[in-house]
Amino acid sequence: MTATTHAPQPLGNRCVQTRAPRETFVAESFSTPTSAPAAVRGQLNPTFLLSVCGHDMGDLELLLPGEADVLVRGLRSFPLREMGSGGWNQQHENLEKLNMQAILDATASQGEPIQELLVTHGKIPTLVEELIAVEMWKQRVFPVLCRLEDFKPQNTFPIYMVVHHEASIVNLLETVFFHKEVCESAEDAVLDLVDYCHRKLTLLVARSGCGSPPEEEESQYGTPIQELQKQAERMEFEIALKALSVLRYITDCVDSLSLSTLNRMLSTHNLPCLLVELLERSPWSRQEGGKLQQFEGGRWQTVAPSEQQKLSKLDGQVWIALYNLLLSPEARARYCLTSFAKGQLLKLRAFLTDTLLDQLPNLADLQGFLAHLALTETQPPKKDLVLEQIPEIWERLERENRGKWQAIAKHQLRHIFSPSEQDLRLQARRWAETYRLDVLEAVTPERPRCAFCSAEASKRCSRCQNEWYCCRECQVKHWEKHGKACVSAAQGDRAK
């Protein structure tokens, strides 16, 4: 699905007509099924047959309204030391259920009660704090944990769930931040969320050209810890792309943001220039074997020559964010157009082709702004004394845990990440209940493609549950390539 599907009104009608249609958002809003390990994708069928899937979204319901209300009310922040504990795991499962239910509601156009509950109970700041806490855990505790000599877990899945927690939260925030009232309910935490998005986008610019490792390489890493570290690296790329969408939705509310948030976006982080860098580097696109590939729906996909002129969804998010930050009256009044900023922004003129303007007609206003900017004298940097709020979640967590990273890692190794076999079996049952196969298939970003001919597929190899096919004939033809991996996956599942 591309941004051109909904022309001639691709930017919607809220604020300055920069709100994308809900359908465009839903198509890219959920990547957990492609990120989650194969162990949670369903039970193994011992016969080598094709299983057929197909769901009516209206028939699927994960949570009743009363259940969702209880789960939202119970959301709370956890200390870094308790990540992976029993209570934390229960909240992670609850967040996954809320996440999937929010996607089901948005996709089926049945109203969005999860978003309303999060706003009503004031839980958006709690989600932001949990997001930043798990980001800090991944940066400060996880590397220490992996270096401990006695860290030789029999099963790395409990640690994977903590690593995956960040993706779960950012997925949920991306879903609900489509609504302006959610951004408003974030209150002071929106400053911390802006900083979070800036860190992720900076990382995305820094790693441009590297992209994400090809899927076939994932099984080549040696130890379970090395594989876990590589999964975390791959997940970081996808999280950064989600952060881009969250930032774009924040810019939709630019005229109602606090002065401190605006100053943070425009002066402290200079987000317009960072977004120009993203457009130039386009880390979600790459050339592979002479073919253009784009990262979409949780994986790299080859773009047909006839589709290469169409605007990708991620490029569209960047253009809409730039439109909001440069043409909103509030933002324009506060953005200091220095000579550096002017030089960076004028690079956009090379991208504003007739093909792009046909797909996003509102960018003609941006083109006019850039033409005027080219003739305008630059401004010296402002030196006014400004009293403003600053983000406090990261600083507070850093202050509370400084010097304790090793102690936290050792505590979690002894009490959390070394579960007994019985505990693992009990937890596995709960994960199986959380990651219901019918719901996961219903909320995948797009219909799966045949592993042999790339046509839309509705049947899956029921031995390994990993590959999809459009018909039995394609599965037989692909068996020579798929057979070894299929048998290995099936044996691995039996061993568990």
Side-chain angles (χ1 to χ4, degrees):
M1 187 173 182
T2 67
T4 56
T5 306
H6 304 286
Q9 291 182 323
L11 298 180
N13 54 20
R14 189 164 69 79
C15 295
V16 285
Q17 295 192 338
T18 58
R19 172 65 73 181
R22 186 59 170 170
E23 307 92 282
T24 304
F25 161 74
V26 169
E28 60 175 333
S29 60
F30 193 79
S31 65
T32 298
T34 57
S35 304
V40 299
R41 293 182 191 159
Q43 298 180 349
L44 181 69
N45 184 334
T47 59
F48 184 51
L49 298 172
L50 289 169
S51 56
V52 183
C53 77
H55 301 283
D56 179 357
M57 301 297 288
D59 295 337
L60 288 171
E61 187 170 39
L62 197 62
L63 298 170
L64 297 173
E67 293 177 298
D69 184 79
V70 170
L71 296 188
V72 170
R73 283 177 182 270
L75 293 177
R76 66 182 181 93
S77 301
F78 280 82
L80 267 63
R81 183 183 175 91
E82 292 184 26
M83 288 195 175
S85 64
W88 183 94
N89 264 310
Q90 181 61 64
Q91 177 157 295
H92 174 76
E93 293 164 15
N94 294 344
L95 276 170
E96 289 287 17
K97 291 175 182 177
L98 292 170
N99 200 353
M100 289 186 280
Q101 186 62 56
I103 298 297
L104 288 172
D105 293 337
T107 307
S109 301
Q110 295 177 342
E112 299 186 40
I114 303 302
Q115 163 254 318
E116 294 168 4
L117 288 171
L118 290 169
V119 171
T120 301
H121 298 306
K123 294 299 183 179
I124 298 299
T126 304
L127 289 179
V128 174
E129 181 165 349
E130 272 291 277
L131 180 69
I132 294 172
V134 75
E135 179 196 21
M136 181 172 286
W137 183 91
K138 286 169 65 176
Q139 289 187 20
R140 304 294 170 84
V141 180
F142 181 51
V144 175
L145 192 63
C146 292
R147 289 195 300 266
L148 294 177
E149 291 184 3
D150 50 348
F151 183 55
K152 298 175 182 178
Q154 296 180 344
N155 191 306
T156 58
F157 201 66
I159 310 170
Y160 175 89
M161 298 312 291
V162 181
V163 173
H164 184 261
H165 192 60
E166 184 180 5
S168 300
I169 298 175
V170 79
N171 247 328
L172 180 56
L173 289 176
E174 184 195 26
T175 306
V176 300
F177 258 78
F178 179 83
H179 301 276
K180 185 177 181 180
E181 57 269 24
V182 174
C183 186
E184 294 171 348
S185 74
E187 300 175 343
D188 295 345
V190 76
L191 276 167
D192 296 273
L193 189 56
V194 166
D195 267 28
Y196 171 86
C197 292
H198 175 260
R199 289 192 293 270
K200 296 301 178 183
L201 297 193
T202 303
L203 196 67
L204 203 54
V205 169
R207 66 169 294 162
S208 59
C210 302
S212 180
E215 293 159 6
E216 61 269 18
E217 290 183 9
E218 289 184 2
S219 61
Q220 296 177 6
Y221 305 109
T223 66
I225 293 300
Q226 289 174 324
E227 184 175 350
L228 184 64
Q229 289 172 321
K230 206 64 186 179
Q231 287 176 328
E233 181 185 342
R234 176 183 172 85
M235 203 179 301
E236 194 67 29
F237 177 70
E238 298 188 45
I239 289 169
L241 299 182
K242 296 291 180 185
L244 171 59
S245 294
V246 172
L247 179 66
R248 175 254 147 137
Y249 293 127
I250 294 175
T251 66
D252 282 348
C253 307
V254 71
D255 287 330
S256 60
L257 294 175
S258 68
L259 295 182
S260 296
T261 305
L262 268 180
N263 188 66
R264 197 84 181 167
M265 296 170 75
L266 298 172
S267 301
T268 307
H269 297 318
N270 201 348
L271 287 178
C273 289
L274 179 60
L275 292 171
V276 172
E277 282 285 313
L278 273 178
L279 273 181
E280 282 193 302
R281 297 173 183 266
S282 191
W284 44 83
S285 301
R286 70 181 184 185
Q287 291 288 334
E288 189 76 15
K291 296 180 179 180
L292 175 65
Q293 292 188 334
Q294 290 180 343
F295 195 84
E296 194 171 323
R299 61 190 177 92
W300 290 100
Q301 301 185 46
T302 300
V303 182
S306 61
E307 301 287 316
Q308 292 182 9
Q309 293 300 312
K310 290 186 177 180
L311 186 68
S312 73
K313 288 175 285 191
L314 290 165
D315 283 307
Q317 298 283 43
V318 177
W319 279 113
I320 294 172
L322 279 166
Y323 183 100
N324 291 334
L325 291 174
L326 295 176
L327 296 186
S328 162
E330 283 291 327
R332 286 184 66 175
R334 302 188 177 279
Y335 187 43
C336 183
L337 285 166
T338 62
S339 56
F340 171 76
K342 177 180 176 179
Q344 287 293 101
L345 295 178
L346 289 180
K347 293 178 182 179
L348 295 173
R349 293 193 295 178
F351 296 94
L352 288 167
T353 62
D354 291 341
T355 303
L356 176 60
L357 293 175
D358 285 343
Q359 297 174 73
L360 293 177
N362 286 32
L363 293 184
D365 295 338
L366 180 58
Q367 190 177 45
F369 165 79
L370 295 173
H372 177 72
L373 177 62
L375 304 175
T376 304
E377 292 292 329
T378 58
Q379 306 169 12
K382 294 180 180 179
K383 298 181 180 180
D384 298 338
L385 178 63
V386 178
L387 298 178
E388 61 174 351
Q389 289 178 288
I390 59 172
E392 62 88 26
I393 296 176
W394 178 277
E395 292 295 331
R396 175 169 52 79
L397 291 172
E398 176 84 37
R399 187 171 59 252
E400 291 172 352
N401 297 283
R402 188 177 293 121
K404 301 177 182 177
W405 313 119
Q406 182 105 359
I408 292 172
K410 288 183 176 180
H411 167 80
Q412 291 183 327
L413 172 61
R414 288 194 301 269
H415 301 290
I416 296 175
F417 297 135
S418 301
S420 65
E421 185 175 344
Q422 182 180 4
D423 290 338
L424 273 176
R425 289 182 181 277
L426 290 172
Q427 189 62 58
R429 287 198 194 98
R430 294 177 62 172
W431 286 328
E433 292 171 3
T434 300
Y435 294 103
R436 275 176 44 191
L437 185 59
D438 56 343
V439 177
L440 288 179
E441 289 173 346
V443 298
T444 46
E446 60 176 23
R447 301 302 300 168
R449 296 283 173 178
C450 177
F452 183 75
C453 70
S454 298
E456 188 172 296
S458 59
K459 304 173 178 66
R460 177 167 57 183
C461 172
S462 60
R463 170 180 283 176
C464 69
Q465 298 283 325
N466 290 334
E467 292 289 11
W468 291 81
Y469 299 97
C470 61
C471 61
R472 169 77 177 184
E473 289 72 21
C474 280
Q475 185 187 29
V476 172
K477 292 175 183 176
H478 191 246
W479 177 248
E480 183 178 352
K481 182 178 179 180
H482 172 57
K484 186 176 179 181
C486 181
V487 173
S488 299
Q491 290 174 344
D493 279 351
R494 290 195 186 97
K496 292 173 186 175

